[in-house]
Amino acid sequence: MSESIKVLLVDDDPALRGMVAFALESEGYEVDEAESQATAKAAFDNFEYPIVILDMGMPPHEHTTKEGVDVLNWISIYHPMTLVIVLTGQDAQATSYEVLKEGAFDFLEKPISESALVLAVKRARLFFQQNQKLRSDEGIQKMQINAPMGEGVKPVRNQAEEKMLRQVLADTNFNVHESARRLGLKRENVYYLIKKYNIERPEYEGQ
Protein backbone atom coordinates (compact mmCIF):
# COMPACT_ATOMS: atom_id res chain seq x y z
CA MET A 1 0.00 0.00 0.00
CA SER A 2 1.51 3.28 -1.12
CA GLU A 3 0.07 5.38 1.70
CA SER A 4 -1.63 4.64 4.99
CA ILE A 5 -5.34 5.41 5.31
CA LYS A 6 -7.10 5.72 8.64
CA VAL A 7 -10.40 3.88 9.12
CA LEU A 8 -12.97 4.47 11.87
CA LEU A 9 -14.57 1.24 13.11
CA VAL A 10 -17.90 1.69 14.92
CA ASP A 11 -19.27 -1.40 16.68
CA ASP A 12 -20.32 -2.17 20.26
CA ASP A 13 -18.86 -5.72 20.14
CA PRO A 14 -15.21 -5.61 21.32
CA ALA A 15 -14.49 -9.09 19.92
CA LEU A 16 -15.64 -8.10 16.44
CA ARG A 17 -13.76 -4.80 16.66
CA GLY A 18 -10.61 -6.73 17.54
CA MET A 19 -11.02 -9.08 14.57
CA VAL A 20 -11.74 -6.29 12.10
CA ALA A 21 -8.95 -4.08 13.41
CA PHE A 22 -6.43 -6.91 13.19
CA ALA A 23 -7.47 -7.77 9.62
CA LEU A 24 -7.18 -4.17 8.44
CA GLU A 25 -3.98 -3.36 10.33
CA SER A 26 -2.43 -6.45 8.73
CA GLU A 27 -3.17 -4.79 5.38
CA GLY A 28 -1.49 -1.55 6.42
CA TYR A 29 -4.52 0.49 7.48
CA GLU A 30 -4.66 2.53 10.67
CA VAL A 31 -7.80 1.80 12.70
CA ASP A 32 -9.54 3.92 15.32
CA GLU A 33 -12.42 2.39 17.27
CA ALA A 34 -15.75 3.66 18.61
CA GLU A 35 -18.46 1.68 20.38
CA SER A 36 -21.48 3.98 20.15
CA GLN A 37 -23.14 6.79 18.25
CA ALA A 38 -21.69 9.37 20.66
CA THR A 39 -18.09 8.13 20.47
CA ALA A 40 -18.30 7.81 16.68
CA LYS A 41 -19.31 11.46 16.32
CA ALA A 42 -16.69 12.55 18.86
CA ALA A 43 -13.96 10.80 16.84
CA PHE A 44 -14.55 13.26 13.99
CA ASP A 45 -13.56 16.13 16.29
CA ASN A 46 -9.93 15.09 15.84
CA PHE A 47 -9.79 13.57 12.35
CA GLU A 48 -11.62 13.56 9.02
CA TYR A 49 -11.97 9.84 8.27
CA PRO A 50 -12.10 8.82 4.61
CA ILE A 51 -13.65 5.43 5.47
CA VAL A 52 -16.01 4.33 8.26
CA ILE A 53 -17.05 0.75 9.01
CA LEU A 54 -20.39 1.04 10.80
CA ASP A 55 -22.47 -1.52 12.67
CA MET A 56 -26.21 -0.90 12.48
CA GLY A 57 -27.33 -2.48 15.74
CA MET A 58 -25.88 -0.69 18.78
CA PRO A 59 -27.19 0.10 22.30
CA PRO A 60 -29.58 1.36 23.40
CA HIS A 61 -31.40 0.07 20.28
CA GLU A 62 -29.23 -2.94 19.44
CA HIS A 63 -32.14 -4.92 17.98
CA THR A 64 -32.99 -2.25 15.42
CA THR A 65 -31.01 -0.21 12.90
CA LYS A 66 -31.81 3.14 14.57
CA GLU A 67 -28.37 3.90 16.04
CA GLY A 68 -26.50 2.98 12.89
CA VAL A 69 -28.86 4.90 10.61
CA ASP A 70 -28.53 7.97 12.85
CA VAL A 71 -24.72 7.84 12.53
CA LEU A 72 -24.93 7.24 8.77
CA ASN A 73 -27.28 10.17 8.29
CA TRP A 74 -25.04 12.43 10.41
CA ILE A 75 -21.95 11.49 8.39
CA SER A 76 -23.73 12.09 5.08
CA ILE A 77 -24.64 15.63 6.21
CA TYR A 78 -21.50 16.75 8.03
CA HIS A 79 -18.79 14.63 6.35
CA PRO A 80 -20.07 13.98 2.82
CA MET A 81 -16.70 12.81 1.46
CA THR A 82 -16.54 9.96 3.99
CA LEU A 83 -17.43 6.53 2.59
CA VAL A 84 -19.40 4.27 4.94
CA ILE A 85 -19.34 0.48 4.81
CA VAL A 86 -22.28 -0.91 6.78
CA LEU A 87 -22.23 -4.12 8.83
CA THR A 88 -25.48 -5.65 10.00
CA GLY A 89 -26.98 -8.78 11.48
CA GLN A 90 -30.49 -7.42 10.84
CA ASP A 91 -32.73 -8.41 7.92
CA ALA A 92 -30.40 -7.97 4.95
CA GLN A 93 -32.94 -6.94 2.31
CA ALA A 94 -34.68 -4.31 4.43
CA THR A 95 -31.44 -2.97 5.91
CA SER A 96 -29.61 -2.71 2.60
CA TYR A 97 -32.50 -0.69 1.14
CA GLU A 98 -32.51 1.67 4.13
CA VAL A 99 -28.76 2.27 4.31
CA LEU A 100 -28.29 2.77 0.57
CA LYS A 101 -31.06 5.36 0.68
CA GLU A 102 -29.12 7.13 3.44
CA GLY A 103 -25.90 7.17 1.42
CA ALA A 104 -23.91 4.07 2.44
CA PHE A 105 -21.09 3.11 0.06
CA ASP A 106 -21.24 -0.65 0.67
CA PHE A 107 -23.06 -3.27 2.73
CA LEU A 108 -21.78 -6.45 4.41
CA GLU A 109 -23.97 -8.97 6.20
CA LYS A 110 -22.77 -10.58 9.44
CA PRO A 111 -21.04 -12.89 9.99
CA ILE A 112 -18.45 -11.23 7.78
CA SER A 113 -15.32 -12.83 6.37
CA GLU A 114 -11.97 -11.05 6.64
CA SER A 115 -11.43 -11.34 2.90
CA ALA A 116 -14.79 -9.73 2.04
CA LEU A 117 -14.13 -6.95 4.53
CA VAL A 118 -10.65 -6.20 3.18
CA LEU A 119 -11.98 -6.13 -0.40
CA ALA A 120 -14.77 -3.73 0.59
CA VAL A 121 -12.27 -1.37 2.25
CA LYS A 122 -9.96 -1.55 -0.78
CA ARG A 123 -12.88 -0.56 -3.04
CA ALA A 124 -13.76 2.32 -0.75
CA ARG A 125 -10.12 3.44 -0.61
CA LEU A 126 -9.84 3.47 -4.41
CA PHE A 127 -13.15 5.28 -4.77
CA PHE A 128 -12.11 7.90 -2.18
CA GLN A 129 -8.76 8.48 -3.89
CA GLN A 130 -10.40 8.89 -7.31
CA ASN A 131 -12.88 11.37 -5.82
CA GLN A 132 -9.95 13.33 -4.41
CA LYS A 133 -8.26 13.26 -7.82
CA LEU A 134 -11.41 14.57 -9.51
CA ARG A 135 -11.55 17.43 -7.02
CA SER A 136 -7.89 18.40 -7.34
CA ASP A 137 -7.47 17.90 -11.10
CA GLU A 138 -10.84 19.01 -12.46
CA GLY A 139 -12.60 20.78 -9.58
CA ILE A 140 -15.41 18.22 -9.62
CA GLN A 141 -17.21 17.46 -6.35
CA LYS A 142 -19.21 14.21 -6.34
CA MET A 143 -22.36 14.40 -4.19
CA GLN A 144 -25.28 12.12 -3.49
CA ILE A 145 -28.68 13.78 -3.61
CA ASN A 146 -31.93 12.05 -2.60
CA ALA A 147 -34.51 13.75 -4.81
CA PRO A 148 -38.19 13.22 -3.94
CA MET A 149 -40.25 13.03 -7.11
CA GLY A 150 -43.09 15.46 -7.61
CA GLU A 151 -41.78 18.21 -5.29
CA GLY A 152 -40.05 20.34 -7.89
CA VAL A 153 -36.39 21.34 -8.05
CA LYS A 154 -36.15 23.55 -4.95
CA PRO A 155 -35.56 20.72 -2.40
CA VAL A 156 -32.86 19.24 -4.65
CA ARG A 157 -31.19 22.63 -5.16
CA ASN A 158 -31.19 23.33 -1.41
CA GLN A 159 -29.78 19.90 -0.59
CA ALA A 160 -26.98 20.27 -3.13
CA GLU A 161 -26.25 23.82 -2.00
CA GLU A 162 -26.01 22.81 1.66
CA LYS A 163 -23.85 19.74 0.99
CA MET A 164 -21.41 21.68 -1.18
CA LEU A 165 -21.18 24.53 1.35
CA ARG A 166 -20.54 22.15 4.25
CA GLN A 167 -17.82 20.34 2.31
CA VAL A 168 -16.00 23.51 1.26
CA LEU A 169 -16.19 24.92 4.79
CA ALA A 170 -14.75 21.65 6.11
CA ASP A 171 -11.97 21.74 3.50
CA THR A 172 -11.01 25.30 4.49
CA ASN A 173 -11.38 24.89 8.28
CA PHE A 174 -14.31 27.33 8.11
CA ASN A 175 -12.30 30.06 6.37
CA VAL A 176 -15.17 32.09 4.91
CA HIS A 177 -12.95 34.19 2.63
CA GLU A 178 -11.35 31.09 1.04
CA SER A 179 -14.70 29.27 0.91
CA ALA A 180 -16.23 32.21 -0.96
CA ARG A 181 -13.32 32.17 -3.44
CA ARG A 182 -13.71 28.44 -4.10
CA LEU A 183 -17.47 28.71 -4.50
CA GLY A 184 -17.29 31.82 -6.69
CA LEU A 185 -19.48 33.79 -4.24
CA LYS A 186 -19.19 37.00 -2.26
CA ARG A 187 -18.38 36.60 1.43
CA GLU A 188 -21.75 38.06 2.43
CA ASN A 189 -23.46 35.37 0.35
CA VAL A 190 -21.52 32.67 2.17
CA TYR A 191 -22.49 34.18 5.54
CA TYR A 192 -26.12 34.21 4.39
CA LEU A 193 -25.98 30.52 3.44
CA ILE A 194 -24.28 29.60 6.73
CA LYS A 195 -27.19 31.23 8.56
CA LYS A 196 -29.77 29.74 6.17
CA TYR A 197 -28.60 26.18 6.84
CA ASN A 198 -27.76 26.78 10.52
CA ILE A 199 -24.13 25.68 10.08
CA GLU A 200 -22.02 26.09 13.20
CA ARG A 201 -18.26 26.50 13.25
CA PRO A 202 -16.70 23.30 14.67
CA GLU A 203 -14.28 23.40 17.58
CA TYR A 204 -11.05 22.24 15.93
CA GLU A 205 -8.43 20.58 18.09
CA GLY A 206 -6.01 23.09 19.58
CA GLN A 207 -8.40 26.03 19.47
Side-chain angles (χ1 to χ4, degrees):
M1 187 177 301
S2 57
E3 60 178 297
S4 178
I5 279 192
K6 187 176 284 191
V7 176
L8 178 63
L9 169 60
V10 187
D11 196 299
D12 64 303
D13 182 348
L16 187 141
R17 289 203 311 270
M19 182 274 285
V20 171
F22 179 79
L24 294 180
E25 287 168 353
S26 298
E27 294 289 324
Y29 296 95
E30 297 180 51
V31 181
D32 288 345
E33 299 181 23
E35 71 277 358
S36 66
Q37 178 175 172
T39 56
K41 291 178 179 179
F44 277 90
D45 290 342
N46 300 321
F47 192 79
E48 190 71 21
Y49 294 92
I51 301 170
V52 171
I53 299 172
L54 174 65
D55 182 37
M56 286 288 101
M58 294 183 290
H61 305 100
E62 58 265 41
H63 300 300
T64 74
T65 60
K66 182 183 184 307
E67 292 298 300
V69 168
D70 284 351
V71 175
L72 178 58
N73 181 258
W74 181 84
I75 290 173
S76 72
I77 293 171
Y78 295 103
H79 304 277
M81 290 296 291
T82 297
L83 301 178
V84 180
I85 300 169
V86 164
L87 309 179
T88 185
Q90 311 290 338
D91 177 71
Q93 186 170 0
T95 302
S96 61
Y97 177 85
E98 187 172 18
V99 300
L100 289 174
K101 183 176 70 174
E102 294 297 333
F105 173 76
D106 208 345
F107 172 91
L108 295 175
E109 187 177 3
K110 292 180 178 178
I112 58 173
S113 70
E114 291 187 16
S115 59
L117 175 71
V118 169
L119 283 174
V121 174
K122 284 182 177 178
R123 285 195 299 271
R125 175 176 177 265
L126 178 61
F127 196 88
F128 178 81
Q129 290 173 331
Q130 295 306 316
N131 265 345
Q132 295 292 87
K133 184 174 175 61
L134 277 173
R135 293 174 70 199
S136 63
D137 292 355
E138 301 185 40
I140 295 174
Q141 171 70 59
K142 299 282 288 184
M143 294 187 300
Q144 175 170 313
I145 302 295
N146 293 333
M149 301 298 290
E151 296 185 16
V153 299
K154 186 175 180 180
V156 179
R157 183 178 68 241
N158 287 345
Q159 190 182 155
E161 188 175 64
E162 181 181 0
K163 281 197 169 188
M164 181 169 287
L165 178 62
R166 287 185 182 277
Q167 183 58 53
V168 173
L169 288 169
D171 289 345
T172 64
N173 284 351
F174 222 91
N175 183 317
V176 175
H177 178 79
E178 176 60 18
S179 295
R181 187 190 69 79
R182 293 189 187 188
L183 291 167
L185 299 173
K186 295 180 179 179
R187 277 183 295 178
E188 51 265 36
N189 295 135
V190 174
Y191 282 118
Y192 167 78
L193 292 173
I194 288 171
K195 184 176 181 180
K196 175 182 177 180
Y197 295 114
N198 194 30
I199 301 174
E200 296 182 357
R201 182 186 182 96
E203 293 297 326
Y204 292 102
E205 191 177 23
Q207 288 188 348

